[in-house]
Amino acid sequence: MSEDKIAFRLDRSVLFLNIRIVLTVLIFLSVATIMLYDNLNLKEFITHRTKKFAQDLTFQHAASITKEFNTRMLNMNMIADSLVQTNSTSSSQQLLEFLARKAELSVFNELYFIGTDDLINTNFHDTINLTNHELHLPHVDLLLNTQELDHACITYDGVSNIYYTRFVAQQDKPLGILVGVRGKHNLQDLIQLKALNNQTVSCIVDKNSGIVVAPTNAHLKQDMNLDNFVMFTDTQGSRVAIQAVKEDIASLTEAVHLVRNNQDKSILITYTPLGINDWGLVTFIPENLIAVGSQDYILRTLLISVVSICLFGIIAITAFISYKNNKRQMERIAFHDMITGGLNNEGFQLRFHEIVAKAKGNTYAVALINIRNFKLINEKYGKKEGDRTLKHIHHSITTCLKANEFTGRISADRFFICLREHQQEAIEGRLKDICREINSFNTTDSPFHLLEFHCGVQIVDDTTADVTRIQDHARQAYDLAIRENLFCVFYQKSFTEKLLWEQELDMMFETSLRNKEFKLYLQPKVDLETGTVCGAEALVRWLHPEKGFIFPSDFIPLFEGNGKICQLDAYMFEEVCKVLHRWHQQGRHLIPISVNLSRQHYFRNPEFLDTFAQLAQHYQIPPKLLDFELTESIFFDTDQFNSVKKSLEEMHKLGFLCSLDDFGVGFSSLGLLKEFDIDTIKFDRQFFLDVSTKKSKTILESLMRMSEELGIKTVAEGIETREQLTYLNETSCDMIQGYIFSLPLEVSEFELWLDSLENRKPSIPQK
């Protein structure tokens, strides 16, 4: 959190809460006002919604009627297609039977076919005598003379029948007109709106407001129109509404009108075009069918609104009183730690802004103090005892603080302390005093638990800096104290630079691996007995095109930490296999090459040996030429003890060799030789820094004799002086590796160095 955001956060939280309360009250008052206003206009609103509902309802009903018309026309199209396929040479009797059969199967009451004398066989007219049928088809002549071969239409005779006509053609040649007849009563049933208990009246009208299909419960004459509905037009207002409906019908515009008669009964009149000819559906709906009990609803809503306002007023007053009573508790929850009762991280940052940000630079220091292995207290004594210990730690810290100094628990067992000090000596002394005070509960007779601490400190030289960044610097110093097992470390600018450098290296890794910027270097191992080169160690060097040479000490620990070392190990192993494969093809003498193996393989991929075995097989490298070098730290991890032991057995089954690197650095080296099957041990260079003393010689000679008796080969690494070489010549050491013979060399340089030794041996004093 930035300093600007932390500043006056407590005041802002109170202000925001007040604003929320005021806004809540205003919002409710606004809603209450709207409700009261809405109640006064509720009737108009209900009327509007009623119209909308009626319009939607009749629109859906009209759509179903239109669908019925379209379905019948689709039937006509199918019958017409079948009629064409009967062939024009069919007999009249066959056509009669065909039409009768189709009429029986379809929804039509009767089917007719009217042929054209000049286009169709006269048998049609001889057989199908239309003089006995009263067909009211004024458009037949028009259809017979039209050039639109797919023309179809629907007509009504105004009395009892609906006619569906379809022009019939064969290969673009007109044959005649197919006529389907349906009784009016079918449509009368269809137009009746059943959704409102059949208490509505519907009819189909044309654009002149003439009745095309009348409702089943209305006895209308053929020439009746909307003006004849006297029951709905007995007032001036209703007549005006009927006229408005007629205007909408004339313009084929969907509409809904509300009409009141002299008994103050309301009728909704809706009009919806059907999209068939110029027809439309007119429906008369009593308003009370939709808006049932609206007056009672208005009264209930008004009463509920008044009661709600009163209740909310009571709730608002209660909430305000509760807010006043709990304000301090809210502040504690926001900025105080629930376990210790002191400041949490938010509270610490706020206090820093209030006090330190106003002081001069180099007046204060921020320290991060952490209890080592605090989790053991929780595991051994329980969480309750752990919380009690945290309270004690917080109390002890506050006891040691001066005016304008403060502390806060940020997480788990970590505390930030702001001290009014700027000298490193004084700060470290204060922190030691605090740690002694924390451990003061221990007594000689019955020690409870001696707590150990690590501290990281950032001296605040710039009080305008973001407090979060200052805390991060203290964390970086603390992380180094953990790694180096130190009590107190002070932040330096180089810490951040190192972090940025490591971040950059991490980002470059994948690209560099693809571009083969990691280079294989070889350092020879010389047989002490014969003076010949008997092996080499593979070492990695990073040659970046922009950054240049990057030291292994910069990237090896980094990649060990993030696990990328596993990829690098596999890459280097494959590079070694490629070199040995090339040497074999060139007829060179092959020597074993040892490859470093990180402990991260055991944590991330226990089956890693399969990958290495496949690479060796792919390049046809005998496994005995490949030696895995493992550091002692791998064997010290008790959690991985069995898996490491099993992997060593697997290495030997696969034919690989195994070396123990840095032998003697740890504290359990001799125990490792007993538990694990090792082919070679490499004595660390520290053994040979002083070979002039009798004690050093005795230790080395004993270890080498023991290795010889165990059948384990020995390598002395880091040999740089003639004195060291002369001494080793007097021991039973097998191999020597070090600068005295050669630095690590790039592969091509190593090959040249080997070639230069063909006629001579490395200079080794004779035993």
Side-chain angles (χ1 to χ4, degrees), residues 546-558:
E546 297 178 3
K547 304 297 181 180
F549 181 83
I550 301 174
F551 291 96
S553 58
D554 286 349
F555 64 86
I556 293 295
L558 172 65

Side-chain angles (χ1 to χ4, degrees), residues 85 117 149 166 188 193 212 233 317 401 423 467 505 536 540-542 596 637 655 667 684:
Q85 294 174 5
D117 292 334
L149 299 181
R166 175 69 166 83
Q188 287 177 328
L193 184 61
V212 177
T233 57
I317 294 172
L401 297 180
Q423 296 292 339
V467 62
L505 293 178
V540 62
R541 297 293 183 264
W542 192 351
N596 289 287
D637 192 330
F667 299 99
D684 189 78

Side-chain angles (χ1 to χ4, degrees), residues 119-136:
L119 296 176
I120 198 69
N121 191 302
T122 56
N123 290 337
F124 282 84
H125 294 291
D126 295 339
T127 306
I128 305 174
N129 187 358
L130 300 179
T131 58
N132 297 327
H133 298 275
E134 296 181 359
L135 295 180
H136 297 270

Side-chain angles (χ1 to χ4, degrees), residues 597-615:
L597 191 67
S598 169
R599 63 183 297 179
Q600 291 296 323
H601 291 280
Y602 293 95
F603 297 106
R604 298 177 182 273
N605 180 22
E607 307 298 327
F608 67 93
L609 282 176
D610 293 341
T611 301
F612 290 101
Q614 290 171 8
L615 286 171

